[in-house]
Amino acid sequence: MEFNIKSGSPEKQRVACVIVGVYESRKLTFAADLLDRISNGFISDVIRHGDMEGKLGSTLVLHSVPHTLCDRVMLVGLGKERDFRAKEYREAVRSSIKALTQTSAGEAVSYLSELTVKKHDVEWMIEQAAVVTLDVLYRFDRFKSKSDEPVREPRKLTLAVPRRSDLADGEKGLQRGLAIGNGMRLAKDLGNLPPNVCTPTYLGEEALRVAQAFGSAAEVLGPKEIAELGMHSFLSVAKGSVEEARLIVLKHQGAKDKNDKPIVLVGKGITFDSGGISLKPGEGMDEMKYDMCGAATVLGAFRAAVEMNLPLNIIAIVPACENMPNGNAVKPGDIVTSMSGQTIEVLNTDAEGRLILCDALTYAERFSPSTVIDVATLTGACVIALGHIATGLYSNQDSLARELLAAGEEVADRAWHMPLWDEYQELLKSPFADMANIGGRPGGSITAACFLSRFAKAYDWAHLDIAGTAWKGGKDKGATARPVPLLVQFLQDRADIALGNVVRRGRPRRETPEVVEDDQD
Ligand code: BES
Ligand code: MN
Ligand code: ZN
């Protein structure tokens, strides 16, 4: 779909659909009010009849509104005006686009982006409208020989900004929104691809394509080179599969100073997790194709950051392999030596994520990173703890945890800070090796994070357990691209800090200080 930015009156739009907002208790937005006036109260009549009460997320499509030049006017409920915040705005945009796909309108002009949301500028309004729209319109049907239902995707969406002087900011917001949207699409596509297509080799090739498209440096190592690095923990997982392991490394040199310490993103890339010799039960095992969603989100966030050309040095590291049982597979009881030199007793071959990540974390040391964030569908226990709402967040640096929490909050991609206390480390004791790879069922997400922390001592580190948030089950099964929005927001905030932009309420602002808002109510 094509996006556009425009400033202009709703009644003058010669287009298939004009989208305007209506608050609860019959309050019209500025754009809705203009349409109401030109049509001699047509819209307020409809509202008076009770067909549109302004409830958040409700929509009503009107045809032939007098004296307008458009074919349709879509009214979108915004809820109570005083409760209208970022979350409500996103929700309204989401339902407007869903409703739009139910019409045959090929083009629309949306005035929702013209609204004001406290603490957010025009740029943000447009950015989020684009991100939400791309999210709603996403389909994964490339393996359907014919599509179930004809999906109607509008050809063109124009987002309105209040004033001509806002056009440039709107355009900037759009570019950012598209970059985030493209990163999310990449993450969803990789996640949704079947595991016979999305193999470690495929992930490597895809990473090279991303690097090539944006001129980033890239390196994809095979089993021999991985062995030479001493990553025997990583390779012990790959051993049971006929698919070769890959270690993917992408580099974005965006900082003014090329020697600036990089931010390293590490993503778990298990392209299929059967459990290995500690085989998983059969039911729902297909969902373990999503066990590379950490890798997918790291590649997606990297793509977005590079497309936005963020002034940061960013490195993405993805250890990728399958976890399969065969005669050569790692067995419970095996002891492996990690790249760090620490030995690991593999008590359960299904706790494989940490075995590949620990070597990637050690590898990250060579870049003298300022910060390392790993992202992994690491534990079922995290799903039990936090459900499908929050990502589990662990860190050896509280200020880093706070930054990530704030970034997630900002873009409705939330995480929850979990403990990494020493008492939990005890559970990883092994009588035969430096540590065991499991710590028992209680606190399973925490002991997994504790395991990783032993390999992340050289830098500020955070771990995101996305087992509950990376994909949805049920009838709308599919990858969510979480936490791409969180990661991109975090990087964006770091870029703002690097540029010396103002930090307000704990959150850096992109622009020079604006007029101070009146925060009285
Ligand atoms: N990939 C799984 C974690 C997972 C399970 C994610 C279910 C999403 C849904 C991971 O490799 C795994 O199998 N973890 C084990 C660890 C256990 C053996 C200590 C788990 O969570 O059961
Ligand atoms: Mn597993
Ligand atoms: Zn796994």
Side-chain angles (χ1 to χ4, degrees):
M1 189 174 69
E2 185 193 331
F3 285 91
N4 251 314
I5 307 293
K6 186 169 183 174
S7 85
S9 294
E11 74 277 11
K12 295 194 187 130
Q13 305 304 319
R14 200 178 285 282
V15 68
C17 187
V18 166
I19 302 171
V20 295
V22 174
Y23 293 109
E24 241 175 81
S25 67
R26 303 181 178 179
K27 171 126 198 292
L28 300 182
T29 55
F30 184 69
D33 187 53
L34 284 177
L35 291 176
D36 192 47
R37 283 164 197 254
I38 193 109
S39 63
N40 302 322
F42 189 91
I43 298 199
S44 37
D45 267 354
V46 167
I47 292 174
R48 202 167 315 111
H49 287 124
D51 290 355
M52 161 51 77
E53 295 177 321
K55 283 223 159 27
L56 182 64
S58 61
T59 54
L60 180 67
V61 178
L62 308 172
H63 291 261
S64 320
V65 175
H67 311 299
T68 60
L69 299 179
C70 56
D71 303 337
R72 304 169 188 75
V73 169
M74 184 194 294
L75 304 181
V76 182
L78 305 176
K80 293 202 183 71
E81 187 173 11
R82 64 185 158 76
D83 296 340
F84 192 70
R85 305 260 155 74
K87 178 163 168 268
E88 286 72 22
Y89 170 57
R90 269 187 293 255
E91 190 57 45
V93 172
R94 186 171 292 277
S95 29
S96 72
I97 302 300
K98 274 192 190 149
L100 191 62
T101 60
Q102 304 299 309
T103 73
S104 61
E107 287 187 25
V109 183
S110 174
Y111 283 84
L112 299 181
S113 48
E114 225 189 59
L115 299 169
T116 32
V117 171
K118 246 197 189 157
K119 297 183 204 165
H120 292 294
D121 48 16
V122 170
E123 209 175 315
W124 183 92
M125 296 295 285
I126 299 290
E127 170 198 298
Q128 289 298 308
V131 170
V132 171
T133 301
L134 291 173
D135 193 40
V136 175
L137 293 178
Y138 177 82
R139 297 276 177 294
F140 187 76
D141 50 15
R142 70 176 80 165
F143 292 94
K144 297 254 189 206
S145 44
K146 49 182 187 304
S147 73
D148 308 340
E149 45 188 293
V151 268
R152 287 190 279 215
E153 180 179 312
R155 278 188 312 283
K156 187 167 153 190
L157 179 67
T158 300
L159 301 169
V161 292
R163 286 171 295 269
R164 288 185 62 84
S165 57
D166 294 322
L167 284 170
D169 280 350
E171 204 57 56
K172 272 196 263 169
L174 176 60
Q175 291 318 315
R176 262 220 314 277
L178 293 177
I180 298 168
N182 289 335
M184 288 175 70
R185 186 179 56 203
L186 172 64
K188 288 184 195 176
D189 279 349
L190 289 174
N192 289 330
L193 278 171
N196 59 332
V197 173
C198 185
T199 59
T201 306
Y202 182 92
L203 272 184
E205 289 164 356
E206 190 63 30
L208 288 177
R209 277 192 285 274
V210 170
Q212 181 116 56
F214 294 96
S216 319
E219 218 179 342
V220 178
L221 310 185
K224 218 173 130 241
E225 296 145 294
I226 299 171
E228 278 159 17
L229 285 166
M231 296 185 162
H232 302 297
S233 181
F234 174 17
L235 284 178
S236 76
V237 178
K239 270 187 351 153
S241 170
V242 295
E243 291 291 340
E244 281 188 359
R246 292 286 182 267
L247 182 72
I248 301 163
V249 184
L250 299 182
K251 290 181 194 156
H252 167 64
Q253 293 259 322
K256 273 203 211 86
D257 184 348
K258 300 294 165 223
N259 297 320
D260 260 14
K261 291 185 165 189
I263 297 170
V264 176
L265 305 175
V266 179
K268 171 177 172 182
I270 296 288
T271 61
F272 188 73
D273 181 11
S274 71
I277 296 296
S278 313
L279 195 64
K280 287 182 181 294
E283 198 184 319
M285 204 202 269
D286 63 289
E287 294 199 359
M288 283 299 118
K289 73 172 183 178
Y290 289 114
D291 214 17
M292 34 56 67
C293 281
T297 50
V298 161
L299 294 177
F302 182 88
R303 188 192 192 284
V306 176
E307 191 174 343
M308 289 156 108
N309 201 14
L310 290 184
L312 298 169
N313 293 334
I314 305 171
I315 295 179
I317 303 177
V318 169
C321 68
E322 277 185 343
N323 184 23
M324 297 289 277
N326 73 11
N328 192 43
V330 67
K331 304 171 290 299
D334 283 0
I335 293 179
V336 299
T337 304
S338 66
M339 184 180 180
S340 71
Q342 299 176 88
T343 58
I344 304 161
E345 187 183 16
V346 180
L347 292 181
N348 190 320
T349 66
D350 198 11
E352 85 297 340
R354 59 199 83 179
L355 294 177
I356 71 170
L357 289 168
C358 67
D359 282 342
L361 289 171
T362 302
Y363 185 77
E365 282 182 23
R366 68 180 50 203
F367 303 112
S368 320
S370 68
T371 306
V372 177
I373 303 168
D374 79 69
V375 188
T377 48
L378 202 63
T379 62
C382 190
V383 190
I384 303 301
L386 298 174
H388 301 286
I389 311 295
T391 291
L393 162 64
Y394 298 84
S395 180
N396 61 9
Q397 184 65 45
D398 278 350
S399 58
L400 173 59
R402 280 195 296 275
E403 278 180 272
L404 288 163
L405 287 175
E409 204 60 65
E410 181 74 18
V411 290
D413 182 7
R414 293 192 293 180
W416 188 253
H417 195 177
M418 304 280 282
L420 262 184
W421 300 327
D422 285 346
E423 287 86 336
Y424 292 104
Q425 294 281 359
E426 296 290 309
L427 300 167
L428 292 170
K429 274 197 176 139
S430 157
F432 305 119
D434 297 341
M435 68 195 89
N437 79 327
I438 54 171
R441 281 170 66 85
S445 172
I446 305 174
T447 49
C450 284
F451 180 96
L452 295 179
S453 73
R454 297 174 178 220
F455 300 85
K457 295 208 164 121
Y459 40 67
D460 288 359
W461 160 79
H463 157 60
L464 296 169
D465 193 334
I466 58 167
T469 50
W471 80 91
K472 280 198 183 103
K475 85 171 177 14
D476 293 328
K477 196 175 201 168
T480 60
R482 288 183 67 184
V484 171
L486 179 157
L487 289 172
V488 177
Q489 186 63 44
F490 167 80
L491 293 171
Q492 175 74 59
D493 290 348
R494 280 285 175 101
D496 279 336
I497 293 166
L499 292 173
N501 282 354
V502 187
V503 178
R504 206 170 52 178
R505 292 196 193 90
R507 177 182 170 249
R509 303 289 292 195
R510 283 172 201 121
E511 298 301 322
T512 40
E514 313 152 63
V515 192
V516 177
E517 287 152 338
D518 190 356
D519 245 352
Q520 308 229 305
D521 55 339

